[in-house]
Amino acid sequence: MKYAIGVDIGGTKIRSALINDSGKVIKKYKTYITSDRSRDAILSKIIHSIKLHMNSDVIGIGIGVPAFVNMKHDKIYTTNISVLQGFNLKKLIKSKFKIPVFIDNDANCFTLAESKFGVAKNYKTILGLTLGTGVGGGIIINGDLFHGKDGFAGELGHICIDKNGYLCNCGNRGCLEMYVSGTAIETRALRHITIRDIPTKLTENNHDVKRIHAYAKKGDKLAKLILDDTAKYLGIGLTSLNNVFNPDLIVLGGSVSKIYPYLRNRVNKTILSFSISPKRKPNIKVSKLKYSGAIGAAYLVFKNEY
Ligand SMILES: [Zn+2]
């Protein structure tokens, strides 16, 4: 049995795990990077989260980052952790631990984990969409990650669904991320709560996605509207992706995917009304894997091993 360490670096937390080559999590660890966000503090937490799992059977380290990864130079480009902008994290970790290190975008790692050990197992062409603080994406074609020319492919959260829409962190307007991420859903709710134009029990201090979902199920007018709009936007995004890729499966992950059963009917209606593909409705599943980012990161090691 072979082992690798997978590290999933998020915008606010780091998850790491010792994984075997069957994708089983042997040991796991989570730490937050909310207080001290200096480069040194973040790097020392990453190194610590690897050291905890290190043993002589570990054949490599895989790292998922919330960033563009330039596959030619291994440098990472991110607005999520600005102190790591342009940094070669792979080189540093390799020099510390003296074993092979692989690095990729976090949503690519998620999609890879799902394709090897999760609901997307046995499918060939897979799109992964992580609906969390932002919206990440990964593309798997014929069983392997598609990186494009420089390694930046798969930014599915930044397809434009409204050219006059909200300004996105990436600098463009109207990206899918600005409508279906957890942050976007909560911001849209807060806008209505503040101007009090639609009756609701949601408040300025209580309008997280979980609460919006709970209130929508009870019939709260604003909560229902927010989630109806979310489903409509998600449906539009998924339609575009289906038209371009005609994938075997689209797998959804991240905190917002937990409310997908509520959104499903409206998403499907939107897809059916906008799709031009002869196979109009894509196959969509919600991730069930825990620590999928770390598992996928560790799999970067195994897939380079065989
Ligand atoms: Zn964007």
Side-chain angles (χ1 to χ4, degrees), residues 265-300:
N265 283 345
R266 186 66 198 258
V267 168
N268 286 342
K269 259 189 209 166
T270 309
I271 291 173
L272 286 174
S273 64
F274 283 94
S275 186
I276 57 164
S277 162
K279 185 185 179 302
R280 304 203 333 174
K281 207 179 120 343
N283 190 9
I284 300 169
K285 289 187 181 181
V286 176
S287 160
K288 291 180 191 146
L289 272 185
K290 290 201 171 93
Y291 268 65
S292 54
I295 294 170
Y299 194 78
L300 295 173

mmCIF file of all heavy atoms in Angstrom, residues 265-300:
data_model
loop_
_atom_site.group_PDB
_atom_site.id
_atom_site.type_symbol
_atom_site.label_atom_id
_atom_site.label_comp_id
_atom_site.label_asym_id
_atom_site.label_seq_id
_atom_site.Cartn_x
_atom_site.Cartn_y
_atom_site.Cartn_z
ATOM 1 N N ASN A 265 -35.361 21.115 -9.110
ATOM 2 C CA ASN A 265 -36.465 21.252 -10.077
ATOM 3 C C ASN A 265 -36.347 22.512 -10.905
ATOM 4 O O ASN A 265 -36.506 22.494 -12.121
ATOM 5 C CB ASN A 265 -37.820 21.241 -9.361
ATOM 6 C CG ASN A 265 -38.201 19.832 -8.965
ATOM 7 O OD1 ASN A 265 -37.609 18.872 -9.457
ATOM 8 N ND2 ASN A 265 -39.171 19.715 -8.064
ATOM 9 N N ARG A 266 -36.028 23.624 -10.225
ATOM 10 C CA ARG A 266 -35.927 24.904 -10.925
ATOM 11 C C ARG A 266 -34.713 24.908 -11.873
ATOM 12 O O ARG A 266 -34.774 25.455 -12.961
ATOM 13 C CB ARG A 266 -35.822 26.030 -9.888
ATOM 14 C CG ARG A 266 -35.849 27.420 -10.474
ATOM 15 C CD ARG A 266 -37.205 27.702 -11.111
ATOM 16 N NE ARG A 266 -37.134 28.821 -12.029
ATOM 17 C CZ ARG A 266 -37.549 30.036 -11.748
ATOM 18 N NH1 ARG A 266 -38.091 30.283 -10.585
ATOM 19 N NH2 ARG A 266 -37.451 30.994 -12.622
ATOM 20 N N VAL A 267 -33.616 24.299 -11.421
ATOM 21 C CA VAL A 267 -32.416 24.188 -12.267
ATOM 22 C C VAL A 267 -32.775 23.414 -13.540
ATOM 23 O O VAL A 267 -32.488 23.852 -14.652
ATOM 24 C CB VAL A 267 -31.264 23.477 -11.515
ATOM 25 C CG1 VAL A 267 -30.134 23.098 -12.471
ATOM 26 C CG2 VAL A 267 -30.726 24.348 -10.391
ATOM 27 N N ASN A 268 -33.451 22.274 -13.371
ATOM 28 C CA ASN A 268 -33.812 21.445 -14.522
ATOM 29 C C ASN A 268 -34.729 22.174 -15.498
ATOM 30 O O ASN A 268 -34.563 22.071 -16.712
ATOM 31 C CB ASN A 268 -34.487 20.149 -14.050
ATOM 32 C CG ASN A 268 -33.474 19.187 -13.446
ATOM 33 O OD1 ASN A 268 -32.270 19.336 -13.672
ATOM 34 N ND2 ASN A 268 -33.939 18.225 -12.673
ATOM 35 N N LYS A 269 -35.705 22.924 -14.956
ATOM 36 C CA LYS A 269 -36.624 23.689 -15.810
ATOM 37 C C LYS A 269 -35.842 24.691 -16.647
ATOM 38 O O LYS A 269 -36.084 24.855 -17.843
ATOM 39 C CB LYS A 269 -37.606 24.466 -14.922
ATOM 40 C CG LYS A 269 -38.955 23.822 -14.817
ATOM 41 C CD LYS A 269 -39.911 24.771 -14.122
ATOM 42 C CE LYS A 269 -40.966 23.982 -13.382
ATOM 43 N NZ LYS A 269 -41.715 24.802 -12.445
ATOM 44 N N THR A 270 -34.882 25.373 -15.996
ATOM 45 C CA THR A 270 -34.076 26.380 -16.701
ATOM 46 C C THR A 270 -33.243 25.714 -17.787
ATOM 47 O O THR A 270 -33.165 26.208 -18.913
ATOM 48 C CB THR A 270 -33.149 27.116 -15.704
ATOM 49 O OG1 THR A 270 -33.942 27.573 -14.616
ATOM 50 C CG2 THR A 270 -32.451 28.291 -16.353
ATOM 51 N N ILE A 271 -32.623 24.592 -17.450
ATOM 52 C CA ILE A 271 -31.790 23.887 -18.431
ATOM 53 C C ILE A 271 -32.631 23.501 -19.652
ATOM 54 O O ILE A 271 -32.231 23.720 -20.788
ATOM 55 C CB ILE A 271 -31.137 22.636 -17.800
ATOM 56 C CG1 ILE A 271 -30.073 23.055 -16.773
ATOM 57 C CG2 ILE A 271 -30.513 21.749 -18.875
ATOM 58 C CD1 ILE A 271 -29.488 21.918 -15.971
ATOM 59 N N LEU A 272 -33.817 22.961 -19.399
ATOM 60 C CA LEU A 272 -34.666 22.522 -20.517
ATOM 61 C C LEU A 272 -35.096 23.692 -21.397
ATOM 62 O O LEU A 272 -35.217 23.549 -22.612
ATOM 63 C CB LEU A 272 -35.903 21.781 -19.984
ATOM 64 C CG LEU A 272 -35.615 20.375 -19.464
ATOM 65 C CD1 LEU A 272 -36.850 19.770 -18.812
ATOM 66 C CD2 LEU A 272 -35.118 19.454 -20.577
ATOM 67 N N SER A 273 -35.262 24.874 -20.807
ATOM 68 C CA SER A 273 -35.717 25.994 -21.636
ATOM 69 C C SER A 273 -34.573 26.686 -22.381
ATOM 70 O O SER A 273 -34.810 27.385 -23.352
ATOM 71 C CB SER A 273 -36.528 26.997 -20.811
ATOM 72 O OG SER A 273 -35.722 27.563 -19.831
ATOM 73 N N PHE A 274 -33.311 26.514 -21.927
ATOM 74 C CA PHE A 274 -32.201 27.214 -22.578
ATOM 75 C C PHE A 274 -31.302 26.317 -23.425
ATOM 76 O O PHE A 274 -30.530 26.802 -24.233
ATOM 77 C CB PHE A 274 -31.308 27.918 -21.537
ATOM 78 C CG PHE A 274 -31.892 29.191 -21.004
ATOM 79 C CD1 PHE A 274 -32.642 29.195 -19.840
ATOM 80 C CD2 PHE A 274 -31.694 30.399 -21.668
ATOM 81 C CE1 PHE A 274 -33.190 30.370 -19.345
ATOM 82 C CE2 PHE A 274 -32.233 31.577 -21.176
ATOM 83 C CZ PHE A 274 -32.986 31.567 -20.010
ATOM 84 N N SER A 275 -31.368 25.010 -23.196
ATOM 85 C CA SER A 275 -30.386 24.122 -23.821
ATOM 86 C C SER A 275 -30.600 23.970 -25.324
ATOM 87 O O SER A 275 -31.725 23.901 -25.798
ATOM 88 C CB SER A 275 -30.449 22.750 -23.151
ATOM 89 O OG SER A 275 -29.427 21.958 -23.656
ATOM 90 N N ILE A 276 -29.490 23.938 -26.065
ATOM 91 C CA ILE A 276 -29.582 23.676 -27.512
ATOM 92 C C ILE A 276 -29.070 22.280 -27.838
ATOM 93 O O ILE A 276 -29.174 21.811 -28.949
ATOM 94 C CB ILE A 276 -28.755 24.704 -28.333
ATOM 95 C CG1 ILE A 276 -27.295 24.705 -27.886
ATOM 96 C CG2 ILE A 276 -29.373 26.088 -28.253
ATOM 97 C CD1 ILE A 276 -26.353 25.371 -28.869
ATOM 98 N N SER A 277 -28.467 21.636 -26.814
ATOM 99 C CA SER A 277 -27.894 20.315 -27.037
ATOM 100 C C SER A 277 -29.010 19.293 -27.264
ATOM 101 O O SER A 277 -30.032 19.339 -26.578
ATOM 102 C CB SER A 277 -27.061 19.936 -25.810
ATOM 103 O OG SER A 277 -26.834 18.566 -25.788
ATOM 104 N N PRO A 278 -28.844 18.357 -28.221
ATOM 105 C CA PRO A 278 -29.882 17.335 -28.415
ATOM 106 C C PRO A 278 -30.113 16.526 -27.131
ATOM 107 O O PRO A 278 -31.237 16.151 -26.834
ATOM 108 C CB PRO A 278 -29.309 16.447 -29.515
ATOM 109 C CG PRO A 278 -28.245 17.255 -30.177
ATOM 110 C CD PRO A 278 -27.727 18.202 -29.151
ATOM 111 N N LYS A 279 -29.016 16.280 -26.388
ATOM 112 C CA LYS A 279 -29.221 15.638 -25.076
ATOM 113 C C LYS A 279 -29.328 16.797 -24.098
ATOM 114 O O LYS A 279 -28.338 17.313 -23.610
ATOM 115 C CB LYS A 279 -28.040 14.734 -24.714
ATOM 116 C CG LYS A 279 -28.291 13.958 -23.427
ATOM 117 C CD LYS A 279 -27.081 13.159 -22.999
ATOM 118 C CE LYS A 279 -27.310 12.405 -21.690
ATOM 119 N NZ LYS A 279 -27.673 13.224 -20.553
ATOM 120 N N ARG A 280 -30.565 17.224 -23.868
ATOM 121 C CA ARG A 280 -30.740 18.539 -23.249
ATOM 122 C C ARG A 280 -30.423 18.594 -21.768
ATOM 123 O O ARG A 280 -30.033 19.624 -21.264
ATOM 124 C CB ARG A 280 -32.175 19.011 -23.482
ATOM 125 C CG ARG A 280 -32.436 18.998 -24.981
ATOM 126 C CD ARG A 280 -33.515 19.872 -25.442
ATOM 127 N NE ARG A 280 -34.582 20.186 -24.524
ATOM 128 C CZ ARG A 280 -35.530 21.055 -24.809
ATOM 129 N NH1 ARG A 280 -35.505 21.687 -25.942
ATOM 130 N NH2 ARG A 280 -36.507 21.285 -23.966
ATOM 131 N N LYS A 281 -30.621 17.493 -21.077
ATOM 132 C CA LYS A 281 -30.410 17.571 -19.640
ATOM 133 C C LYS A 281 -29.143 16.826 -19.235
ATOM 134 O O LYS A 281 -29.067 15.618 -19.423
ATOM 135 C CB LYS A 281 -31.613 17.003 -18.904
ATOM 136 C CG LYS A 281 -31.788 17.616 -17.528
ATOM 137 C CD LYS A 281 -32.984 17.051 -16.847
ATOM 138 C CE LYS A 281 -32.724 16.346 -15.558
ATOM 139 N NZ LYS A 281 -31.440 15.913 -15.170
ATOM 140 N N PRO A 282 -28.134 17.554 -18.707
ATOM 141 C CA PRO A 282 -26.917 16.856 -18.293
ATOM 142 C C PRO A 282 -27.158 16.009 -17.051
ATOM 143 O O PRO A 282 -28.094 16.270 -16.280
ATOM 144 C CB PRO A 282 -25.953 18.001 -17.992
ATOM 145 C CG PRO A 282 -26.813 19.169 -17.657
ATOM 146 C CD PRO A 282 -28.081 18.988 -18.418
ATOM 147 N N ASN A 283 -26.305 15.017 -16.880
ATOM 148 C CA ASN A 283 -26.341 14.186 -15.682
ATOM 149 C C ASN A 283 -25.638 14.963 -14.563
ATOM 150 O O ASN A 283 -24.468 15.304 -14.699
ATOM 151 C CB ASN A 283 -25.603 12.880 -16.029
ATOM 152 C CG ASN A 283 -25.761 11.823 -14.988
ATOM 153 O OD1 ASN A 283 -26.550 11.972 -14.058
ATOM 154 N ND2 ASN A 283 -25.009 10.742 -15.141
ATOM 155 N N ILE A 284 -26.353 15.269 -13.487
ATOM 156 C CA ILE A 284 -25.777 16.092 -12.410
ATOM 157 C C ILE A 284 -25.852 15.316 -11.096
ATOM 158 O O ILE A 284 -26.906 14.784 -10.736
ATOM 159 C CB ILE A 284 -26.557 17.426 -12.257
ATOM 160 C CG1 ILE A 284 -26.507 18.231 -13.561
ATOM 161 C CG2 ILE A 284 -25.991 18.268 -11.099
ATOM 162 C CD1 ILE A 284 -27.456 19.414 -13.593
ATOM 163 N N LYS A 285 -24.724 15.244 -10.379
ATOM 164 C CA LYS A 285 -24.726 14.591 -9.065
ATOM 165 C C LYS A 285 -24.036 15.489 -8.044
ATOM 166 O O LYS A 285 -23.185 16.299 -8.409
ATOM 167 C CB LYS A 285 -23.985 13.248 -9.116
ATOM 168 C CG LYS A 285 -24.723 12.170 -9.868
ATOM 169 C CD LYS A 285 -24.015 10.834 -9.729
ATOM 170 C CE LYS A 285 -24.766 9.758 -10.517
ATOM 171 N NZ LYS A 285 -24.124 8.454 -10.396
ATOM 172 N N VAL A 286 -24.389 15.294 -6.790
ATOM 173 C CA VAL A 286 -23.760 16.067 -5.707
ATOM 174 C C VAL A 286 -22.708 15.193 -5.031
ATOM 175 O O VAL A 286 -22.945 14.005 -4.772
ATOM 176 C CB VAL A 286 -24.825 16.534 -4.681
ATOM 177 C CG1 VAL A 286 -24.161 17.247 -3.498
ATOM 178 C CG2 VAL A 286 -25.839 17.453 -5.339
ATOM 179 N N SER A 287 -21.562 15.789 -4.752
ATOM 180 C CA SER A 287 -20.452 15.076 -4.109
ATOM 181 C C SER A 287 -20.844 14.533 -2.737
ATOM 182 O O SER A 287 -21.590 15.174 -1.999
ATOM 183 C CB SER A 287 -19.283 16.052 -3.940
ATOM 184 O OG SER A 287 -18.395 15.587 -2.939
ATOM 185 N N LYS A 288 -20.334 13.336 -2.416
ATOM 186 C CA LYS A 288 -20.553 12.799 -1.075
ATOM 187 C C LYS A 288 -19.229 12.642 -0.333
ATOM 188 O O LYS A 288 -19.203 12.265 0.835
ATOM 189 C CB LYS A 288 -21.227 11.423 -1.173
ATOM 190 C CG LYS A 288 -22.655 11.506 -1.659
ATOM 191 C CD LYS A 288 -23.248 10.100 -1.736
ATOM 192 C CE LYS A 288 -24.573 10.133 -2.460
ATOM 193 N NZ LYS A 288 -24.802 8.921 -3.232
ATOM 194 N N LEU A 289 -18.120 12.876 -1.035
ATOM 195 C CA LEU A 289 -16.797 12.674 -0.425
ATOM 196 C C LEU A 289 -16.496 13.748 0.602
ATOM 197 O O LEU A 289 -16.758 14.922 0.361
ATOM 198 C CB LEU A 289 -15.712 12.768 -1.491
ATOM 199 C CG LEU A 289 -15.272 11.562 -2.288
ATOM 200 C CD1 LEU A 289 -14.102 11.956 -3.176
ATOM 201 C CD2 LEU A 289 -14.885 10.415 -1.377
ATOM 202 N N LYS A 290 -15.897 13.345 1.724
ATOM 203 C CA LYS A 290 -15.392 14.331 2.671
ATOM 204 C C LYS A 290 -13.888 14.467 2.424
ATOM 205 O O LYS A 290 -13.236 13.500 2.067
ATOM 206 C CB LYS A 290 -15.646 13.864 4.102
ATOM 207 C CG LYS A 290 -17.119 13.894 4.449
ATOM 208 C CD LYS A 290 -17.320 13.928 5.961
ATOM 209 C CE LYS A 290 -18.770 14.167 6.288
ATOM 210 N NZ LYS A 290 -19.517 12.925 6.489
ATOM 211 N N TYR A 291 -13.341 15.637 2.604
ATOM 212 C CA TYR A 291 -11.909 15.887 2.365
ATOM 213 C C TYR A 291 -11.534 15.640 0.900
ATOM 214 O O TYR A 291 -10.412 15.226 0.588
ATOM 215 C CB TYR A 291 -11.037 15.033 3.301
ATOM 216 C CG TYR A 291 -10.691 15.771 4.575
ATOM 217 C CD1 TYR A 291 -11.687 16.115 5.474
ATOM 218 C CD2 TYR A 291 -9.382 16.147 4.874
ATOM 219 C CE1 TYR A 291 -11.395 16.817 6.625
ATOM 220 C CE2 TYR A 291 -9.074 16.849 6.032
ATOM 221 C CZ TYR A 291 -10.083 17.182 6.902
ATOM 222 O OH TYR A 291 -9.796 17.889 8.038
ATOM 223 N N SER A 292 -12.493 15.895 -0.015
ATOM 224 C CA SER A 292 -12.226 15.609 -1.430
ATOM 225 C C SER A 292 -11.045 16.417 -1.974
ATOM 226 O O SER A 292 -10.275 15.918 -2.793
ATOM 227 C CB SER A 292 -13.476 15.863 -2.278
ATOM 228 O OG SER A 292 -13.951 17.164 -2.043
ATOM 229 N N GLY A 293 -10.889 17.678 -1.522
ATOM 230 C CA GLY A 293 -9.772 18.508 -1.993
ATOM 231 C C GLY A 293 -8.433 17.879 -1.647
ATOM 232 O O GLY A 293 -7.517 17.798 -2.484
ATOM 233 N N ALA A 294 -8.309 17.383 -0.396
ATOM 234 C CA ALA A 294 -7.054 16.760 0.049
ATOM 235 C C ALA A 294 -6.848 15.414 -0.639
ATOM 236 O O ALA A 294 -5.725 15.060 -1.018
ATOM 237 C CB ALA A 294 -7.061 16.591 1.569
ATOM 238 N N ILE A 295 -7.941 14.661 -0.829
ATOM 239 C CA ILE A 295 -7.836 13.355 -1.495
ATOM 240 C C ILE A 295 -7.349 13.557 -2.935
ATOM 241 O O ILE A 295 -6.447 12.868 -3.412
ATOM 242 C CB ILE A 295 -9.193 12.611 -1.482
ATOM 243 C CG1 ILE A 295 -9.583 12.240 -0.047
ATOM 244 C CG2 ILE A 295 -9.154 11.363 -2.360
ATOM 245 C CD1 ILE A 295 -10.999 11.709 0.107
ATOM 246 N N GLY A 296 -7.940 14.550 -3.615
ATOM 247 C CA GLY A 296 -7.549 14.833 -5.007
ATOM 248 C C GLY A 296 -6.108 15.305 -5.086
ATOM 249 O O GLY A 296 -5.365 14.923 -6.006
ATOM 250 N N ALA A 297 -5.699 16.127 -4.117
ATOM 251 C CA ALA A 297 -4.313 16.615 -4.089
ATOM 252 C C ALA A 297 -3.357 15.434 -3.919
ATOM 253 O O ALA A 297 -2.342 15.325 -4.618
ATOM 254 C CB ALA A 297 -4.134 17.632 -2.962
ATOM 255 N N ALA A 298 -3.696 14.514 -3.007
ATOM 256 C CA ALA A 298 -2.853 13.325 -2.799
ATOM 257 C C ALA A 298 -2.830 12.473 -4.067
ATOM 258 O O ALA A 298 -1.802 11.885 -4.412
ATOM 259 C CB ALA A 298 -3.377 12.503 -1.626
ATOM 260 N N TYR A 299 -3.958 12.426 -4.773
ATOM 261 C CA TYR A 299 -4.003 11.609 -5.985
ATOM 262 C C TYR A 299 -3.077 12.140 -7.079
ATOM 263 O O TYR A 299 -2.632 11.377 -7.944
ATOM 264 C CB TYR A 299 -5.444 11.459 -6.505
ATOM 265 C CG TYR A 299 -5.526 10.361 -7.533
ATOM 266 C CD1 TYR A 299 -5.541 9.026 -7.142
ATOM 267 C CD2 TYR A 299 -5.511 10.650 -8.888
ATOM 268 C CE1 TYR A 299 -5.542 8.008 -8.075
ATOM 269 C CE2 TYR A 299 -5.518 9.635 -9.837
ATOM 270 C CZ TYR A 299 -5.532 8.323 -9.424
ATOM 271 O OH TYR A 299 -5.521 7.308 -10.347
ATOM 272 N N LEU A 300 -2.759 13.448 -7.019
ATOM 273 C CA LEU A 300 -1.783 14.003 -7.974
ATOM 274 C C LEU A 300 -0.473 13.210 -7.873
ATOM 275 O O LEU A 300 0.220 12.997 -8.857
ATOM 276 C CB LEU A 300 -1.485 15.481 -7.668
ATOM 277 C CG LEU A 300 -2.627 16.497 -7.823
ATOM 278 C CD1 LEU A 300 -2.172 17.863 -7.301
ATOM 279 C CD2 LEU A 300 -3.073 16.607 -9.272
#
